[in-house]
Amino acid sequence: MDDIRTLSIEAPGEIAFIEEKSGTLEPGTFRVETVYSGISAGTELTYVKGTNPYLHATWDSALGLFTEGVPSIEYPVRGLGYMQVGMVTETRTAAVREGELLAMAYGHRTGYVADPLKDRFVELPDDLDPLLGIYVAHMGPICANGLLHAAADLHGPAVHGLGDGVRGRRVAVTGAGVVGLLTACFAIRHGAAEVVVVDETADRLRIAEALGARTVHENPAVTLKERWRHAPGDRGADVVFQCRGQARYLAMALKLLRPQGTVIDLAFYPSGADEVRLGEEFHHNGLSVRCAQIGRVPRGLAHAWDRERLSYETIELLRGRQDLRRHLVTDLVGFDEAPALLTDLAQGRRHAVQAVLAQEVED
């Protein structure tokens, strides 16, 4: 195989491809050629913009704190991205077969040499659109983990299924990006009584409606609390999944909740949160905010709900929603276009729900 090309953020706003050696195929390893590579228009753009906290502080994993010091990540930033589908082109391990399609998370590269003892991979079934495979290794589990946190919030460690926190309940989702839309689809699949998506963008709300959710744009807190009544003085969403990394969406999520409800927060906030007013609904309605960061599942559930199970749940969702490709994938471009695409996304000149890099772009 020829040398691979790797996307590199050289400095804020400076994006290029660099050539790297493809690596020797040692015994026990295998080589993949990238078929699709999905772009996260949230986390990845914080590196393009220079706003990611890892670029400005030291992450002390022992203390769980960001502290002053040498930044944990410095430019150039390479290997960015976590939504890859690769085809096995050569193997020296029985763990995979040549020609298999695998979901992995090795960054925006045209190829990769993997060690099955170090690199996570998920074989994609034949009956799944391979483009949707970009969600199997990481993005889908992010959303499934949100539902798992909702289930644990209601049942503690006695969770039997992914739908235990949404089945029969009124669910709101704030933010209609990929995380919000996939989370809404998970909630619909697992029996939520009603799923309403809240966002400011009309095009994204149309996608949410096409995927089977209801939507609210204007005055959502009043609208939903008029609609969702539980008892006198008890109105609003049973649970809210907050899926957009802007403080005003977290503030809105708190307003949507019924008393003593919980926001399951899947968002990453690169800035502050001045718009979150803890003395208002949060205090007076006795609310909770629970972070569902993908680095961990709820306490007491790790033995039963590892990343592999979350990927399996993702595959089951995608198998039943092949329409997701039509509704979510708004931009499919060749690898050569990636620097310009990321620059335009970061500067707001272009908007995408899901952008995907492809080795071969279909007509």
Side-chain angles (χ1 to χ4, degrees), residues 11 15 19 34 40 52 79 91 95 116 140 163 191 255 264 284 289 291 305 321 332:
I15 311 167
E19 299 287 333
T34 305
S40 167
N52 193 287
T91 181
K255 291 179 181 295
I264 306 297
H284 288 83
V289 178
C291 177
W305 288 91
R321 297 301 305 258
L332 184 63

Side-chain angles (χ1 to χ4, degrees), residues 26-245:
E26 302 290 347
T29 65
F30 63 93
R31 191 188 312 275
V32 295
E33 179 179 338
T34 305
V35 180
Y36 297 113
S37 189
I39 292 173
S40 167
T43 304
E44 292 178 34
L45 294 187
T46 64
Y47 290 100
V48 179
K49 297 175 182 178
T51 58
N52 193 287
Y54 283 99
L55 297 168
H56 306 285
T58 299
W59 170 246
D60 188 324
S61 58
L63 297 178
L65 293 173
F66 281 98
T67 61
E68 294 183 2
V70 178
S72 291
I73 296 178
E74 298 182 282
Y75 292 105
V77 179
R78 294 170 183 167
L80 201 64
Y82 52 75
M83 290 186 271
Q84 283 68 52
V85 172
M87 176 179 286
V88 179
T89 58
E90 191 178 358
T91 181
R92 297 189 66 184
T93 170
V96 299
R97 301 185 306 274
E98 287 189 16
E100 279 188 314
L101 286 175
L102 305 177
M104 300 184 69
Y106 53 74
H108 299 303
R109 296 180 165 94
T110 56
Y112 186 68
V113 172
D115 181 343
L117 297 181
K118 298 177 181 178
D119 294 294
R120 183 169 176 268
F121 61 91
V122 182
E123 181 182 354
L124 296 179
D126 293 337
D127 61 349
L128 182 68
D129 184 335
L131 190 148
L132 292 180
I134 63 173
Y135 296 131
V136 169
H138 196 73
M139 177 60 87
I142 287 173
C143 304
N145 194 33
L147 265 73
L148 190 61
H149 275 75
D153 186 67
L154 200 60
H155 299 286
V159 173
H160 298 288
L162 201 60
D164 285 359
V166 298
R167 188 175 299 107
R169 307 181 82 197
R170 296 173 174 95
V171 174
V173 178
T174 47
V178 172
V179 174
L181 293 169
L182 285 178
T183 300
C185 287
F186 268 117
I188 292 168
R189 169 180 168 78
H190 287 283
E194 190 173 8
V195 178
V196 172
V197 175
V198 178
D199 197 274
E200 301 166 344
T201 308
D203 288 343
R204 296 191 175 199
L205 291 178
R206 281 192 285 270
I207 294 172
E209 290 171 355
L211 293 173
R214 297 179 69 99
T215 62
V216 175
H217 173 60
E218 294 184 4
N219 206 2
V222 172
T223 299
L224 287 187
K225 288 197 169 184
E226 288 179 343
R227 178 177 179 81
W228 286 343
R229 178 188 183 279
H230 306 276
D234 184 358
R235 294 177 176 270
D238 289 301
V239 61
V240 179
F241 294 96
Q242 206 311 83
C243 301
R244 190 165 184 181

Side-chain angles (χ1 to χ4, degrees), residues 247-263:
R248 68 180 185 275
Y249 275 81
L250 176 55
M252 175 56 65
L254 292 168
K255 291 179 181 295
L256 301 179
L257 278 173
R258 65 186 294 192
Q260 297 183 301
T262 299
V263 170

Side-chain angles (χ1 to χ4, degrees), residues 36 129 131-132 134-135 178 181 207 323-333 352-357:
Y36 297 113
D129 184 335
L131 190 148
L132 292 180
I134 63 173
Y135 296 131
V178 172
L181 293 169
I207 294 172
D323 61 331
L324 284 168
R325 172 174 181 162
R326 181 171 72 256
H327 295 305
L328 287 188
V329 180
T330 53
D331 298 75
L332 184 63
V333 303
V353 177
Q354 178 65 73
V356 180
L357 309 179

